Amino acid sequence: MKVLVAVKRVIDYNVKIRVKPDHSDVDLTNVKMAMNPFCEIAVEEAVRLKERGVATEVVAVTVGPKAAQEQLRTALALGADRAIHVETDERVESLGAAKALAKLVAEEQPGLVILGKQAIDTDNNQTGQMLAALTGLPQGTFASEVKVEGEKLQVTREVDGGLQTVELSLPAIVTTDLRLNEPRYAKLPDIMKAKKKPLDVKTPADLGVEVASKVKLLKVEPPAERQGGVKVGSVDELIDKLKNEAKVL
Amino acid sequence: MSILVLAEHHDGALAGATAHVVAAAKQIVIESGGDIDVLVAGEGVAAIAEAAARLDGVSRVRVADHAAYAHLLAEPTAALLAELAGDYTHLLAAASTTGKNVLPRVAALKDVAQISEIIAVESPDTFKRPIYAGNAIATVQSEDALKVITVRTTGFDAVAEGGSAAVEAVGLSFTKGADNAQSTFLKEELAKSDRPELGAARVVISGGRGMGNGENFKLLDGIADKLGAAIGASRAAVDAGFVPNDMQVGQTGKIVAPELYIAVGISGAIQHLAGMKDSKVIVAINKDEEAPIFQVADYGLVADLFQALPELESKL
């Protein structure tokens, strides 16, 4: 079966972000960007399914600005066969992205779609679930284990109290949790080969969807700073401070 | 305004998270007025519905008692919520794994955006929510007629008990939920713990990579017992296999905001801080005095945890 993997270009997870002085947004100029960590896990899982002979083709897709093609090339270097870029400069949030992805699902007819559980910029955790709703497919969110059993998919999900296993009919939508796998690194020869793999560019208009967000971003502020703390010299001093100063014991 | 809150429940009991979500709902209706209904969906949920009816501020509890909702799987539960949504201006759920699983699906079925993990209500259409692992707070305004929202429970104090809402069954044919052939619950492996729930505990003590191994997490037990604390962990400790993943505090784990958070052998990566930096008092015990955790800790003790922990336990 064909596997579709959605990836997102986000700020590198190690970067300490800065809010713009006018509080309009986070400042992304000259900041290192990368593939969202959960999307790396999604690509890895798709590639492993191909290596096990379960998947026949892996198609990486993204919705976003032209620069997001770097992340598609990364996915190709990691083992995806081809890529589709839905190019837009609009501020796209989950519903818009899910609508574009739903059109690609209708065109490509994959047996499985894998996304990350959340992007580390907006922290929304919505797109996979929304895509499942729009395509009418079942969803296996926060997956830590995925097993294809014939026409069914067994997904072990990380839930608040522990683990939950569900069985889904295929095709299905899966979103990855951190513990699904350990993503590989792209090797130099694969990075070179990835440059020759096909990458289609479409626009939201080609797909007949509106991707601009309907939620207005009014303001972005830095979080309240914590007061600078003190270092204590001993366990006794710590207990004393917690009892008499902080009054939490 | 009329608001529907999806009740969260586990093991036949109403989860504490629901009282926090009702608190957020009360802030939405505070000026304009309006009703707050709670939906209890599940199988054999009469006692849960009664508990929900006692929450202050709740007007009505709607009950969908059916095998199809037994584990609140996303497909039937979202179909049910989408069907009920016509009566409401807001749909709210806790930003738990249940709420996060179900609500975006409802939002897309209704062709509206979803607003995730709000921490404050500015007005009935404007909310604050953390982005970039809590390193920025966004104020967002929804233009949709139906607002679908998940609530970060640590952002709102739980409402008290004392209400007496009417309880009534949802008058549905259950056709949408009951014919769910797409997904089936197979099994659940829940971690057994006698300690307070991590998200609701007054005190949390967490261990990181510095604990060395899973066996050493026992060093936290005695202190947790004495303080009535829940035990958490950093991602490093979970990834190293020291403890199960449901103990993880951070951007991708649980978000906690207890009165006292004690971080032991945790360096304080951005992703961990995202899960605990709204705690009232933070204590860090770490032998590396340069560890970033000391920048957010109210009280820092530079010490070897293998000496500090037994001493702390004996002196508490």
Side-chain angles (χ1 to χ4, degrees):
Chain A
M1 68 181 172
K2 188 192 288 185
V3 178
L4 207 64
V5 188
V7 301
K8 185 178 183 186
R9 174 184 175 85
V10 298
I11 195 163
D12 185 275
Y13 74 96
N14 280 313
V15 173
K16 182 95 172 85
I17 59 124
R18 288 183 316 271
V19 172
K20 286 183 183 172
D22 68 357
H23 289 178
S24 61
D25 206 342
V26 166
D27 193 351
L28 294 182
T29 44
N30 299 322
V31 169
K32 187 182 175 204
M33 303 294 278
M35 188 190 293
N36 180 48
F38 291 99
C39 303
E40 291 182 348
I41 295 169
V43 172
E44 176 67 30
E45 196 64 19
V47 172
R48 288 187 190 187
L49 286 171
K50 193 178 171 195
E51 288 168 348
R52 289 206 296 270
V54 177
T56 49
E57 187 186 27
V58 176
V59 184
V61 301
T62 196
V63 182
K66 187 162 183 56
Q69 287 185 13
E70 283 172 34
Q71 279 62 50
L72 286 178
R73 290 289 173 201
T74 303
L76 293 169
L78 291 168
D81 298 292
R82 61 187 171 91
I84 304 171
H85 179 206
V86 180
E87 188 176 336
T88 174
D89 288 322
E90 299 271 10
R91 190 172 66 84
V92 181
E93 289 224 11
S94 313
L95 185 61
K99 283 181 178 176
L101 294 173
K103 293 286 184 179
L104 295 179
V105 168
E107 280 180 13
E108 296 282 338
Q109 296 286 319
L112 181 63
V113 185
I114 313 180
L115 304 86
K117 81 163 176 180
Q118 76 192 62
I120 60 162
D121 50 1
T122 53
D123 278 337
N124 272 329
N125 194 331
Q126 300 171 1
T127 307
Q129 295 89 314
M130 288 180 159
L131 176 61
L134 296 176
T135 53
L137 297 176
Q139 67 191 53
T141 51
F142 329 141
S144 61
E145 197 182 347
V146 176
K147 275 192 292 195
V148 177
E149 305 264 346
E151 294 300 299
K152 300 274 188 184
L153 186 72
Q154 280 191 10
V155 181
T156 301
R157 309 178 50 234
E158 298 206 358
V159 296
D160 284 335
L163 299 171
Q164 180 194 69
T165 307
V166 292
E167 188 172 74
L168 309 178
S169 60
L170 288 169
I173 312 289
V174 165
T175 73
T176 63
D177 215 318
L178 280 172
R179 271 160 287 277
L180 181 58
N181 61 47
E182 185 78 38
R184 70 193 69 187
Y185 292 97
K187 296 191 196 82
L188 188 60
D190 293 334
I191 294 170
M192 302 309 289
K193 272 186 236 162
K195 290 180 180 168
K196 296 204 175 70
K197 289 186 180 177
L199 192 161
D200 282 348
V201 181
K202 295 172 188 279
T203 64
D206 295 340
L207 298 170
V209 291
E210 185 67 52
V211 295
S213 179
K214 285 201 181 107
V215 174
K216 278 198 250 170
L217 184 62
L218 301 183
K219 192 167 59 175
V220 175
E221 301 160 289
E225 288 283 325
R226 288 193 73 92
Q227 296 290 328
V230 295
K231 289 219 173 98
V232 294
S234 67
V235 169
D236 288 317
E237 194 186 343
L238 177 64
I239 292 174
D240 175 65
K241 295 267 192 196
L242 289 176
K243 275 190 177 144
N244 301 314
E245 198 175 275
K247 301 191 193 305
V248 285
L249 288 187
Chain B
M1 301 295 124
S2 57
I3 300 179
L4 184 63
V5 170
L6 175 65
E8 175 112 15
H9 54 87
H10 304 288
D11 292 336
L14 185 71
T18 310
H20 294 264
V21 181
V22 171
K26 280 180 79 174
Q27 289 193 18
I28 293 171
V29 298
I30 198 163
E31 281 176 22
S32 52
D35 289 336
I36 300 171
D37 290 358
V38 173
L39 171 67
V40 178
E43 188 179 22
V45 290
I48 298 164
E50 279 169 33
R54 287 195 294 271
L55 293 177
D56 184 47
V58 174
S59 320
R60 183 167 63 143
V61 175
R62 306 183 73 175
V63 184
D65 202 327
H66 192 281
Y69 307 121
H71 299 280
L72 291 177
L73 295 184
E75 297 80 5
T77 311
L80 172 68
L81 276 164
E83 197 163 339
L84 297 173
D87 301 342
Y88 298 95
T89 56
H90 296 70
L91 290 185
L92 267 60
S96 60
T97 50
T98 307
K100 289 174 176 177
N101 190 33
V102 174
L103 254 61
R105 191 170 176 110
V106 181
L109 290 173
K110 302 304 289 183
D111 193 26
V112 298
Q114 194 218 223
I115 301 182
S116 292
E117 301 221 17
I118 64 163
I119 54 168
V121 174
E122 299 284 289
S123 76
D125 68 359
T126 306
F127 309 92
K128 284 186 188 288
R129 58 176 304 264
I131 53 176
Y132 292 89
N135 288 297
I137 307 297
T139 305
V140 295
Q141 186 175 35
S142 164
E143 293 172 345
D144 289 315
L146 172 69
K147 278 96 179 152
V148 178
I149 296 166
T150 61
V151 176
R152 182 172 287 189
T153 51
T154 57
F156 300 88
D157 292 333
V159 295
E161 294 207 349
S164 55
V167 176
E168 57 184 68
V170 171
L172 285 179
S173 59
F174 295 107
T175 47
K176 287 195 176 172
D179 71 353
N180 165 44
Q182 290 186 313
S183 70
T184 317
F185 171 87
L186 291 186
K187 63 176 176 175
E188 216 161 38
E189 296 154 60
L190 299 182
K192 292 268 171 282
S193 174
D194 300 330
R195 299 195 187 282
E197 189 197 335
L198 197 50
R202 198 187 69 84
V203 180
V204 173
I205 182 162
S206 287
R209 199 196 302 273
M211 298 300 292
N213 59 46
E215 191 69 11
N216 289 336
F217 264 73
K218 289 191 181 137
L219 292 169
L220 305 180
D221 285 344
I223 298 171
D225 287 341
K226 286 190 170 171
L227 297 176
I231 298 183
S234 69
R235 183 184 163 192
V238 173
D239 281 352
F242 298 174
V243 291
N245 62 278
D246 59 292
M247 287 171 64
Q248 184 182 331
V249 172
Q251 184 181 17
T252 60
K254 297 221 172 61
I255 312 287
V256 301
E259 286 184 39
L260 173 60
Y261 187 89
I262 306 175
V264 184
I266 292 176
S267 65
I270 296 174
Q271 292 77 13
H272 184 73
L273 300 183
M276 45 64 82
K277 68 189 168 68
D278 293 325
S279 305
K280 190 165 156 245
V281 175
I282 297 173
V283 169
I285 301 174
N286 203 302
K287 65 181 177 188
D288 174 13
E289 61 179 309
E290 302 296 325
I293 191 78
F294 287 119
Q295 291 164 21
V296 299
D298 299 277
Y299 303 106
L301 176 64
V302 180
D304 183 346
L305 65 93
F306 296 103
Q307 280 156 22
L309 288 177
E311 188 183 348
L312 184 61
E313 183 182 342
S314 68
K315 287 179 173 167
L316 278 171

